[in-house]
Amino acid sequence: MLKGGAVMDVTNAEQARIAEDAGAVSVMALERVPADIRRDGGVARMSSPEKIREIIETVSIPVMAKVRIGHFVEAQMLQEMGVDFVDESEVLTPADEENHIDKHAFEVPFVCGCRNLGEALRRIGEGAALIRTKGEAGSGNIVEAVRHLRHIGNALRRLTILTDDELMSAAKELRAPYELVRIVAREGRLPVPNFAAGGVATPADAALCMQLGAESVFVGSGIFKSTDPAQRAKAIVKAVTHYRDPAMLVEVSMGLGEPMRGLDIASIPEAELLQTRGN
Amino acid sequence: MSETAQEARIGVLALQGGFAEHVAMLESAADARKDAKVVVEEVKYPEQLERLDGLVIPGGESTTLSVFLCQNGFGEKLRAFAREGERRRCVWGTCAGLILLSDHLDSQKQGGQVTLGGIDIQVTRNAYGKQINSFEAPLKIKAPALFRQAPPPGSTHQAHDECLGVFIRAPGIVRVNSDLVQTLATLDRGSGEKVVGVRQGHLMATSFHPELTSDCRWHSYFIDMVVTYKSSTSL
């Protein structure tokens, strides 16, 4: 029931309360927001249990937390702690460069990131219950999330016009499980919800993602790296609900202070891109 | 019966949550009817309430819903829509909607949240635990009007008085406080029958999600309610 809402990254109880009061549908518990992880470098790992418990105890909305790609023990621990969703995330330093977690082996649902339809279907094949775009996390730059949303939408539409006997070849091209490709070609949509993530910094960004077909929006560094997080959080929640109403978007965008500064993607060295992690 | 009673306008509160599925299922159930023309719309603004004959409040995060209802007097207008006036407009709450329609709520978050009330029951949030405790289970239907209709083709539940209940971080009905509250459906997972669907007059609430199944019976039943109330108040 997270559709049509905003999921916000929070690093402590006070931020969690701000997010909940603003109307966030869920919070993502982290030690550092993606912009700071990017800035600090080093190895980024699952948050400490104390941090996660602190946030679970503060809010009544669902709490998500991140694990490194392939780190199934971090996931076992989060499941034990009772988080509502595990994000197998490229924002953290991958623990396995060949394989993702076997998500079917868990009770707790997982969300995974993707840049295109093939990647989405591979994650769903592994057991992901929710998909999001990767965007370029911590960049405050919406261009990559837009790229990924458009790739997915475009590929979905193209699949629906193929004949049945062309689907095996399509599955080969997508490097995706054949049975999932069949289902998706018939339905014209993913079998799980698709959220936008990576670079959302303004209400306009959130509404753009919704108009491009995302069903909810993750906001990471965009809230607590801005100058007025409480106001911006409320504005983004409203923008996700009223995403087709320009008058409302103008109204909620007034008096928000400065958004996070962000980065030009071209200025990020290839080796520092987060979206290429996991595939 | 006047001409206008033949058309009913049903809204689905579309502030957050699973509203798209309710819209789709209402439209599907409406298509199958010959007796009434039903128009379905997404509701994002309080001004839309005035022209509706019925409203569905879908599942979603009840704290998020409360944030929206505290703005622009939306909560007051919704309360007036559901509770007041000569014209009885039907409301059906699923999951978070059940919480809103209950008279008594346990375990509020710090700061409390908006409630509409109207159904004399006591509910608790997240009765079955977190996301990890979401589940599907067969339910017994207790309202004859519901099980007079056929279950969907291919459904695994053969009995006419059964349906599939989809529960996601569901609230629980702890106590039914009044005889005016009719039990519509129950769940038994081995520790006795629990009430999971109720109706008090023009208000209905379920802790499970019929819109996430292929079974239109609940939506058809709600359309019946709306049409019946509308035609009785326009005479």
Side-chain angles (χ1 to χ4, degrees):
Chain A
M1 281 309 127
L2 301 173
K3 292 190 210 178
V7 182
M8 299 181 190
D9 279 7
V10 296
T11 61
N12 58 47
E14 192 207 331
Q15 289 185 354
R17 238 172 262 123
I18 290 172
E20 187 178 43
D21 289 347
V25 295
S26 175
V27 289
M28 175 76 71
L30 304 158
E31 304 274 356
R32 294 169 288 167
V33 289
D36 289 342
I37 294 176
R38 185 187 287 282
R39 176 199 63 200
D40 295 346
V43 176
R45 311 176 181 90
M46 180 187 80
S47 303
S48 66
E50 312 88 86
K51 170 70 58 190
I52 291 167
R53 287 217 161 106
E54 176 195 344
I55 288 164
I56 289 177
E57 269 143 35
T58 302
V59 294
S60 63
I61 55 180
V63 175
M64 305 195 184
K66 293 186 184 333
V67 299
R68 290 178 268 180
I69 289 172
H71 207 311
F72 48 83
V73 176
E74 284 184 349
Q76 288 164 7
M77 291 167 65
L78 288 185
Q79 177 170 273
E80 176 61 31
M81 284 187 262
V83 305
D84 296 279
F85 252 94
V86 173
D87 182 2
E88 186 180 19
S89 177
E90 72 285 0
V91 164
L92 305 184
T93 309
D96 190 330
E97 293 191 335
E98 312 280 333
N99 306 291
H100 282 68
I101 296 169
D102 173 16
K103 295 170 269 290
H104 288 298
F106 289 78
E107 299 269 352
V108 67
F110 280 72
V111 51
C112 290
C114 71
R115 289 175 296 166
N116 53 56
L117 181 59
E119 211 175 322
L121 294 179
R122 290 192 291 278
R123 301 291 84 77
I124 293 168
E126 288 155 3
L130 180 62
I131 287 293
R132 56 171 174 77
T133 57
K134 284 175 167 172
E136 189 54 37
S139 68
N141 193 334
I142 202 61
V143 67
E144 295 301 315
V146 167
R147 188 194 311 281
H148 304 157
L149 280 170
R150 282 198 180 272
H151 279 173
I152 292 167
N154 181 288
L156 283 171
R157 285 188 294 275
R158 283 171 192 263
L159 255 193
T160 62
I161 63 174
L162 298 183
T163 53
D164 282 354
D165 63 352
E166 292 172 327
L167 293 179
M168 184 58 77
S169 185
K172 179 187 74 179
E173 295 294 325
L174 287 167
R175 294 183 293 145
Y178 172 71
E179 289 307 328
L180 281 177
V181 169
R182 276 187 70 114
I183 291 168
V184 167
R186 188 180 63 223
E187 303 292 320
R189 46 164 298 135
L190 292 177
V192 303
N194 183 28
F195 290 7
V200 175
T202 63
D205 285 344
L208 175 62
C209 290
M210 296 296 287
Q211 289 199 27
L212 283 172
E215 292 168 84
S216 273
V217 171
F218 282 85
V219 192
S221 318
I223 304 268
F224 291 100
K225 288 309 235 182
S226 70
T227 56
D228 190 347
Q231 281 305 109
R232 189 165 295 267
K234 288 178 193 164
I236 286 178
V237 168
K238 288 186 202 163
V240 172
T241 290
H242 296 293
Y243 66 96
R244 290 200 185 276
D245 184 346
M248 272 300 274
L249 295 174
V250 168
E251 192 185 311
V252 306
S253 296
M254 308 227 278
L256 292 185
E258 291 299 310
M260 67 175 285
R261 187 160 188 275
L263 300 165
D264 178 17
I265 305 297
S267 72
I268 304 176
E270 175 110 22
E272 283 173 33
L273 284 175
L274 301 179
Q275 60 179 279
T276 53
R277 295 168 168 184
N279 217 323
Chain B
M1 195 183 288
S2 68
E3 263 312 305
T4 52
Q6 304 285 347
E7 177 177 306
R9 199 169 195 95
I10 301 181
V12 179
L13 197 61
L15 297 169
Q16 187 269 314
F19 52 87
E21 291 87 350
H22 272 296
V23 171
M25 196 148 260
L26 277 172
E27 285 176 340
S28 187
D31 272 348
R33 301 183 74 98
K34 308 284 181 275
D35 60 322
K37 178 170 174 293
V38 178
V39 174
V40 183
E41 72 178 68
E42 283 184 9
V43 176
K44 293 187 190 269
Y45 303 100
E47 301 74 60
Q48 291 173 270
L49 294 173
E50 185 45 41
R51 60 173 183 259
L52 299 177
D53 303 303
L55 179 73
V56 175
I57 303 177
E61 284 309 313
S62 44
T63 43
T64 305
L65 193 50
S66 288
V67 165
F68 279 98
L69 294 182
C70 287
Q71 296 158 11
N72 303 320
F74 207 151
E76 282 80 62
K77 289 175 184 141
L78 200 48
R79 204 171 291 114
F81 177 89
R83 311 284 306 274
E84 296 157 22
E86 283 178 17
R87 246 188 93 194
R88 280 276 167 263
R89 269 86 78 95
C90 299
V91 182
W92 174 20
T94 54
C95 202
L98 162 76
I99 294 173
L100 266 195
L101 288 171
S102 305
D103 280 344
H104 305 281
L105 167 65
D106 286 350
S107 63
Q108 299 227 32
K109 80 165 185 78
Q110 296 173 26
Q113 55 184 94
V114 165
T115 54
L116 300 179
I119 303 183
D120 199 353
I121 51 177
Q122 180 157 352
V123 299
T124 183
R125 289 181 68 177
N126 305 334
Y128 306 93
K130 301 175 149 292
Q131 193 84 32
I132 207 166
N133 292 317
S134 297
F135 61 94
E136 292 183 4
L139 306 178
K140 272 272 181 278
I141 302 175
K142 302 288 184 175
L146 268 161
F147 63 68
R148 268 204 293 271
Q149 301 166 49
S155 72
T156 50
H157 303 283
Q158 299 303 319
H160 277 237
D161 66 343
E162 274 192 0
C163 68
L164 180 65
V166 174
F167 294 83
I168 302 172
R169 290 181 97 244
I173 298 173
V174 172
R175 202 167 47 243
V176 173
N177 291 329
S178 159
D179 288 337
L180 295 173
V181 178
Q182 181 193 356
T183 294
L184 297 181
T186 59
L187 165 72
D188 192 341
R189 290 173 95 197
S191 50
E193 269 197 337
K194 306 270 188 266
V195 177
V196 291
V198 291
R199 175 176 172 176
Q200 185 166 344
H202 62 293
L203 304 177
M204 176 162 95
T206 54
S207 59
F208 54 96
H209 296 268
E211 78 284 5
L212 298 181
T213 67
S214 53
D215 189 348
C216 280
R217 283 179 289 172
W218 290 90
H219 290 76
S220 207
Y221 179 74
F222 184 63
I223 293 174
D224 283 341
M225 270 173 76
V226 172
V227 168
T228 303
Y229 272 95
K230 181 164 186 186
S231 51
S232 70
T233 55
S234 69
L235 285 172

